[in-house]
């Protein structure tokens, strides 16, 4: 039996009829005394679910602040402050006292600064500071080498210790920072030729000009040097001596003798700066 109009309206709500046409205009919801005065739509239920989460451990409700529409999430203020502070942190440096030149205590490749000094040269009877230098090394490898060669730490730096370093294939680097503004590449080349020549003669008893000239021979005189210009001479594994002038590689020579002669200029009997040599020796003692 088909439901009557009364039964339909009772279920759906009260229908408002336009009196002249008899057309139903809208359904007026019938209040149910068993339900709340303000029915909640499905949309409202979803929004409410978004705003509350149930803590599975203790059953309590945790309020969730809705994200503003169109607004990107950002990192907490504390994290941003920490990041900015880390970025502002400067690398520790050591100041060479005679020239005021600063050297980072550690390079990106892990080599550590063991000593800093100054190279002086007498020109027309006047002692001039030509460049400041910092001697870097792979200290962990030096430590293993010294322990195997010498064993127990001596009370003070010894010639044997320095010789172990000079003869070794451990990675080292000497960074030169020009302090004499009138320096030219031809002057630098002459200075190295003389220093290396004397070192080779000390180590072998003879000269080797061909080998000596290989270190700076390819450096163009067009390279302009000013106060603050950097030259880096690196002893790479395999007894390779690499020279960079203002970040430009000008030579890369594989020669054990050349590597030994170069380090000898700074740690040998006639070291350029004896105070710097002594400081390097003390840093070696600290490795034991």
């Amino acid at each position: 039996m088909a439901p009557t109009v009364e039964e339909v309206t009772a279920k759906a709500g009260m229908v408002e009829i336009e009196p002249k046409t008899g057309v139903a205009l809208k359904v007026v919801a019938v209040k149910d005394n068993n339900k709340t005065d303000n029915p909640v739509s499905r949309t409202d239920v979803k929004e409410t679910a978004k705003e509350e989460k149930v803590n599975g451990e203790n059953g309590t409700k945790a309020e969730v602040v809705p994200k503003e529409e169109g607004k990107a999430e950002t990192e907490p203020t504390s994290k941003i402050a920490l990041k900015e502070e880390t970025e502002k942190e400067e690398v520790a440096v050591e100041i060479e006292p005679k020239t005021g030149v600063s050297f980072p205590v550690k390079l990106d490749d892990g080599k550590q600064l063991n000593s800093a000094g100054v190279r002086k040269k007498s020109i027309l009877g006047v002692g001039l500071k030509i460049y400041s230098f910092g001697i870097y090394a792979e200290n962990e490898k030096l430590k293993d080498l010294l322990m195997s060669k010498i064993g127990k730490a001596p009370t003070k730096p010894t010639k044997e210790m320095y010789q172990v370093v000079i003869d070794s294939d451990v990675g080292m680097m000497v960074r030169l920072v020009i302090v004499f503004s009138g320096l030219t590449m031809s002057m630098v080349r002459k200075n190295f030729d003389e220093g290396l020549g004397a070192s080779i003669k000390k180590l072998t008893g003879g000269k080797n000009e061909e080998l000596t000239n290989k270190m700076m021979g390819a450096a163009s005189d067009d390279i302009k040097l000013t106060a603050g210009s950097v030259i880096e001479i690196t002893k790479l594994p395999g007894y390779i001596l690499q020279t960079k002038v203002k970040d430009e590689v000008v030579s890369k020579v594989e020669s054990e003798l050349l590597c030994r002669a170069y380090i000898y200029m700074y740690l040998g009997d006639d070291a350029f700066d004896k105070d710097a040599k002594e400081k390097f020796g003390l840093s070696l003692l600290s490795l034991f």
Side-chain angles (χ1 to χ4, degrees):
M1 182 176 183
T4 65
V5 173
E6 289 79 6
E7 291 173 335
V8 172
T9 55
K11 292 181 180 179
M14 209 162 68
V15 180
E16 185 177 338
I17 306 296
E18 211 284 324
K20 294 181 179 181
T21 62
V23 176
L25 299 179
K26 64 179 179 178
V27 177
V28 180
V30 178
K31 182 176 179 181
D32 189 341
N33 292 330
N34 295 325
K35 297 181 180 179
T36 61
D37 290 339
N38 298 308
V40 180
S41 67
R42 289 186 178 181
T43 303
D44 292 333
V45 172
K46 290 181 180 179
E47 291 298 323
T48 303
K50 288 182 180 179
E51 295 178 2
E52 293 185 350
K53 288 183 179 180
V54 178
N55 188 321
E57 295 182 358
N58 51 30
T60 59
K61 293 182 179 180
E63 184 177 353
V64 179
V65 180
K67 184 178 70 174
E68 292 184 26
E69 186 176 354
K71 187 174 181 180
E73 294 185 6
T74 58
E75 293 183 87
T77 304
S78 59
K79 286 187 177 181
I80 295 175
L82 180 60
K83 184 186 295 182
E84 290 178 350
E85 183 178 344
T86 303
E87 290 175 351
K88 291 180 180 178
E89 185 179 353
E90 296 182 358
V91 177
V93 298
E94 181 177 323
I95 306 297
E96 198 290 307
K98 299 173 185 175
T99 60
V101 174
S102 61
F103 293 92
V105 298
K106 190 174 184 179
L107 302 178
D108 292 340
D109 61 6
K111 291 186 181 70
Q112 293 176 289
L113 179 68
N114 290 326
S115 180
V118 60
R119 167 66 162 141
K120 294 181 180 180
K121 185 73 174 176
S122 179
I123 300 178
L124 299 176
V126 179
L128 298 176
K129 297 172 184 175
I130 305 301
Y131 59 80
S132 185
F133 62 84
I135 307 175
Y136 294 83
E138 297 177 342
N139 281 356
E140 285 301 315
K141 293 183 179 180
L142 274 185
K143 176 182 177 180
D144 294 340
L145 184 63
L146 290 169
M147 293 292 287
S148 64
K149 296 286 185 179
I150 298 176
K152 187 178 179 181
T155 56
K156 62 180 182 179
T158 64
K159 184 174 181 177
E160 181 185 6
M161 285 175 52
Y162 291 119
Q163 197 63 48
V164 167
V165 178
I166 291 169
D167 294 339
S168 77
D169 191 28
V170 173
M172 295 181 67
M173 191 263 274
V174 182
R175 174 176 289 182
L176 319 178
V177 181
I178 306 300
V179 295
F180 179 54
S181 58
L183 200 64
T184 64
M185 271 310 305
S186 61
M187 294 170 66
V188 170
R189 187 182 297 106
K190 182 179 179 182
N191 177 69
F192 275 102
D193 289 350
E194 291 176 354
L196 282 171
S199 291
I200 290 174
K201 186 175 181 179
K202 193 78 174 182
L203 293 172
T204 65
K207 295 182 179 181
N208 191 331
E209 293 182 0
E210 181 182 355
L211 182 60
T212 301
N213 293 335
K214 285 183 178 181
M215 183 172 173
M216 283 290 182
S220 171
D221 289 339
D222 293 334
I223 299 176
K224 303 300 181 183
L225 297 176
T226 58
S229 295
V230 176
I231 299 175
E232 293 179 341
I233 293 89
T234 306
K235 182 162 69 73
L236 303 169
Y239 291 105
I240 297 172
L241 197 65
Q242 174 183 278
T243 303
K244 291 174 67 175
V245 180
K246 298 174 69 173
D247 288 329
E248 179 185 346
V249 177
V250 297
S251 69
K252 199 170 185 179
V253 185
E254 182 178 350
S255 170
E256 180 179 348
L257 177 56
L258 188 63
C259 289
R260 292 172 60 222
Y262 182 73
I263 301 301
Y264 186 88
M265 293 195 301
Y266 297 93
L267 302 181
D269 296 335
D270 301 315
F272 285 161
D273 187 330
K274 294 190 181 298
D275 290 338
K277 173 187 174 181
E278 181 72 15
K279 186 174 181 181
F280 188 92
L282 293 175
S283 72
L284 293 180
L285 291 179
S286 68
L287 297 178
F288 283 91

